Amino acid sequence: MLLTLPSTSIQVPEAKRRRRNALDSFLFSGRPLDVPESADHTHPWYLVLWLTGVDYFSTIGYQPGIALLAAGALSVPATGILVLVTILGAVPIYSEVAARSYAGQGSIALLENLFTGWKSKIFVLILLGFAATDFVITMTLSAADAARHATQNPYLHRFIGEHTLDVTLVLLLLLAVVFLVGFREAIVVVAATTIPYIALNVWVLVYAASLVFRRPEVLTNWTRLLHAHGDWTAIFIASALVFPKLALGLSGFETGVSVMPLVEGGHDDNDADRDEAPVRRIRNTRKLLVTAAAIMSVLLLLSSFVSVLLIPEAAYRDGGPANGRAIAYLAHEIIGNRFGSLYDLSTILVLWLAGASAMTGMLNLIPRYLPRFGMAPPWVAYRRPLVLLLLAIDVIVTLIFKADVDRQGSAYATGVLVLMFSAAVAVALALWRESSRDKPLSYAKTLYFWLVTVVFAYTLVANIFERPDGVIIASCFIILLLTLSGVSRYYRATEMRVSEFEFTDDESERLWDSIRDEKVNLIPHHADEPHYRAELKKKIQHHFKLHGPMAFLYVRLSDNRSEFYSCL
């Protein structure tokens, strides 16, 4: 009987369910996360937009305050450079990622496919460390900023005082409880929360802009401070140098491509062959990315403009009432506490949903890679143990940073920039491999994306030198991930790693069916020759007393030993 290793897609088997006691029943119930599950249904791209936006748009809650603290009067031109990088860099990069990684696996999977063997695995594990930094800090930073909005609210302050750290921990615990009970991101709920949030921000910013129009002296004061840095060339250079500190405004694009399976492609994509790219889904995802970038660019520019003109320096400095909540400060100061409280409530909900989005991202990311690499214990494939582990990490990070929004912002920016830089590298490499002399413009396109990669590299390096907290945290995640993955792989080396098998021909399958439920001695061998099988049979009969027929399995081992699961 012949069995070979065909080059087919590998399906990872479900982890064994443990049912020893009530605790095991609670922790290991439900469908394992490493088993592929198709989306129940798809939605129009303009609805999925808000699922992306809950992560992307929520940064408006703290981005203007961070820009003021980092750049002062230069926050507006620095934000302008950020918008240019978004439109000319991030959007084209992730448009290409969407075309090449349309299953929702993002830039990490794209890079994994460009390399092979252990080189690919180690590279992916390092990127997972930075991705973990991104998602974990998203949860802790969003909870900390939500707590800041709650403690600074005049109506809530009398009840919770200045206990920002305690409120942050309560929000993280509530987030974990919701996921332990069971949480699926509902697009309708997210849209119903994010759209009013955007509308409230637009109202505050337009109202603040009308005040600037009625008070031209604030514009005069700002231009005087701006030109203190020199002429427009000097201002541009100074803004470019300070721009990496504002890199938080680039977050959300990785989420934009991870939600691709939810984007509706229409009948053409549904009827297409599985191996064909879903053209309409890719086109609609690109519409989503462009629309999200356009909305965010307008909000960023307008928020930085009114903030630098209307918020005094003492208010946005560390410990000031506008620190980490610039737009909320304006809402209370120029419109009133009632409207400001409504804005606070909307912001808290959106920030909490951003944490939920990050938790969902971690629950999708870790089981997708580590079990397939053989580098995680079986319980990682289940939602509840993983949620408890992430809660513990969130609590540790929050206590280390003492729920400080500004300090966590640097770590968050590093995680975001590493993912964006890796996406830029992946796209540039993919385009370079696809370039040909028959298409001269392909080289120009490749060169453009290499230039974009250089911009992201500069932004990343500048951010690391200016604020190394993100690299320190990511390094801890990477070292922990590599160590635990290596130990897990070592202890799992003796596990049965054959996930499924296929027959090379009908005769093999007929023979297999004929010996099913019978006592048969299966003898694997590496040379498919009759005389070798005869010699092997004699040797086995000499050393063993066998009863029943012998079935010889010809096995050709895969050369890629980095893969844990195999198809026989």
Side-chain angles (χ1 to χ4, degrees):
M1 179 167 62
L2 287 177
L3 286 176
T4 62
L5 287 176
S7 57
T8 59
S9 60
I10 297 171
Q11 295 181 353
V12 182
E14 294 189 12
K16 295 181 179 179
R17 299 193 178 193
R18 300 167 58 188
R19 296 285 183 182
R20 291 196 297 267
N21 51 46
L23 180 61
D24 285 345
S25 298
F26 172 76
L27 291 177
F28 301 103
S29 63
R31 183 186 181 92
L33 299 172
D34 59 340
V35 176
E37 182 178 10
S38 58
D40 295 332
H41 48 271
T42 56
H43 306 270
W45 67 267
Y46 48 83
L47 284 182
V48 185
L49 167 69
W50 306 111
L51 196 59
T52 302
V54 75
D55 177 21
Y56 193 22
F57 302 147
S58 66
T59 57
I60 286 292
Y62 45 81
Q63 170 75 7
I66 291 177
L68 280 174
L69 197 61
L74 291 173
S75 62
V76 177
T79 301
I81 295 177
L82 174 67
V83 168
L84 288 177
V85 172
T86 299
I87 296 174
L88 301 179
V91 172
I93 286 292
Y94 279 93
S95 294
E96 294 293 331
V97 171
R100 291 166 171 78
S101 184
Y102 43 80
Q105 296 179 345
S107 59
I108 295 180
L110 185 59
L111 273 172
E112 182 189 5
N113 294 332
L114 291 173
F115 301 100
T116 58
W118 282 111
K119 184 189 301 182
S120 171
K121 301 293 185 294
I122 298 298
F123 196 71
V124 167
L125 288 174
I126 293 174
L127 284 180
L128 284 178
F130 284 103
T133 304
D134 185 358
F135 286 120
V136 167
I137 298 298
T138 298
M139 289 185 275
T140 58
L141 175 61
S142 298
D145 196 56
R148 177 78 63 84
H149 281 78
T151 55
Q152 294 296 321
N153 183 275
Y155 300 115
L156 294 176
H157 184 78
R158 68 187 71 173
F159 300 106
I160 57 180
E162 297 291 340
H163 297 92
T164 305
L165 179 60
D166 297 332
V167 176
T168 302
L169 294 175
V170 169
L171 289 173
L172 290 172
L173 179 61
L174 179 62
L175 181 67
V177 168
V178 169
F179 274 87
L180 288 174
V181 173
F183 179 84
R184 287 180 177 269
E185 279 187 307
I187 289 183
V188 175
V189 174
V190 171
T193 306
T194 310
I195 293 176
Y197 170 73
I198 295 295
L200 289 172
N201 273 283
V202 171
W203 181 263
V204 175
L205 296 177
V206 170
Y207 191 91
S210 68
L211 285 183
V212 172
F213 181 75
R214 295 197 299 266
R215 295 168 54 188
E217 68 277 5
V218 297
L219 185 60
T220 302
N221 294 334
W222 172 65
T223 54
R224 186 177 65 252
L225 293 173
L226 192 63
H227 286 290
H229 294 275
D231 58 12
W232 285 109
T233 302
I235 291 173
F236 176 80
I237 295 174
S239 301
L241 292 175
V242 80
F243 140 74
K245 298 180 181 180
L246 280 62
L248 277 180
L250 291 167
S251 66
F253 281 92
E254 195 72 29
T255 308
V257 292
S258 68
V259 299
M260 275 194 73
L262 296 176
V263 177
E264 190 174 75
H267 297 293
D268 294 342
D269 286 351
N270 295 335
D271 297 336
D273 187 38
R274 288 182 58 187
D275 296 332
E276 294 181 6
V279 178
R280 291 194 62 183
R281 176 171 294 169
I282 293 171
R283 187 184 305 125
N284 289 338
T285 301
R286 287 172 170 171
K287 293 178 183 177
L288 182 153
L289 294 172
V290 171
T291 304
I295 294 173
M296 192 62 174
S297 297
V298 173
L299 291 176
L300 284 174
L301 285 172
L302 195 53
S303 64
S304 64
F305 178 72
V306 298
S307 297
V308 74
L309 267 65
L310 297 178
I311 299 178
E313 183 176 351
Y316 65 74
R317 288 297 173 187
D318 190 23
N323 182 248
R325 51 184 295 275
I327 308 303
Y329 173 83
L330 289 176
H332 283 276
E333 290 294 319
I334 66 177
I335 300 180
N337 286 333
R338 289 186 178 180
F339 180 88
S341 297
L342 179 63
Y343 180 87
D344 286 337
L345 176 61
S346 177
T347 303
I348 291 170
L349 288 175
V350 167
L351 287 168
W352 188 87
L353 280 174
S357 176
M359 178 73 82
T360 303
M362 289 292 285
L363 295 179
N364 289 333
L365 196 64
I366 293 176
R368 180 181 293 168
Y369 290 99
L370 295 187
R372 180 163 58 86
F373 291 177
M375 293 182 168
W379 57 262
V380 168
Y382 288 88
R383 173 169 49 88
R384 286 170 177 164
L386 197 53
V387 168
L388 292 175
L389 174 63
L390 292 175
L391 173 62
I393 295 174
D394 288 343
V395 170
I396 293 172
V397 171
T398 299
L399 292 176
I400 291 175
F401 283 101
K402 298 180 181 179
D404 189 302
V405 174
D406 298 325
R407 291 180 60 201
Q408 291 182 85
S410 61
Y412 184 23
T414 301
V416 170
L417 288 172
V418 168
L419 290 179
M420 287 201 150
F421 173 67
S422 65
V425 171
V427 170
L429 284 174
L431 289 172
W432 177 259
R433 294 184 178 184
E434 296 169 6
S435 300
S436 65
R437 294 180 178 179
D438 296 335
K439 299 178 180 179
L441 289 178
S442 62
Y443 289 104
K445 186 177 181 180
T446 302
L447 178 60
Y448 176 80
F449 280 98
W450 278 119
L451 292 176
V452 172
T453 303
V454 171
V455 172
F456 281 118
Y458 156 71
T459 308
L460 174 61
V461 172
N463 188 274
I464 290 174
F465 276 102
E466 182 70 25
R467 299 176 292 181
D469 291 347
V471 173
I472 295 173
I473 294 177
S475 299
C476 293
F477 276 116
I478 292 170
I479 293 172
L480 183 64
L481 193 62
L482 290 176
T483 302
L484 295 180
S485 296
V487 171
S488 177
R489 175 94 181 198
Y490 173 79
Y491 278 105
R492 297 186 66 185
T494 56
E495 288 184 9
M496 173 59 100
R497 291 162 53 180
V498 177
S499 59
E500 60 179 351
F501 61 88
E502 294 183 0
F503 298 99
T504 57
D505 51 41
D506 294 336
E507 177 65 12
S508 295
E509 187 171 4
R510 187 190 65 77
L511 288 172
W512 180 267
D513 290 336
S514 68
I515 64 175
R516 190 186 299 273
D517 299 325
E518 302 290 341
K519 179 179 180 180
V520 178
N521 302 289
L522 298 178
I523 304 171
H525 63 100
H526 65 274
D528 187 29
E529 299 173 358
H531 73 275
Y532 176 78
R533 290 199 297 271
E535 291 295 326
L536 188 60
K537 181 178 180 179
K538 288 182 181 180
K539 186 182 297 185
I540 291 174
Q541 287 177 332
H542 177 73
H543 293 284
F544 301 97
K545 293 181 178 181
L546 300 182
H547 302 283
M550 298 181 185
F552 291 89
L553 280 78
Y554 169 54
V555 178
R556 185 173 68 240
L557 294 178
S558 172
D559 199 32
N560 185 5
R561 297 176 179 85
S562 67
E563 286 294 334
F564 194 75
Y565 293 114
S566 300
C567 174
L568 186 67

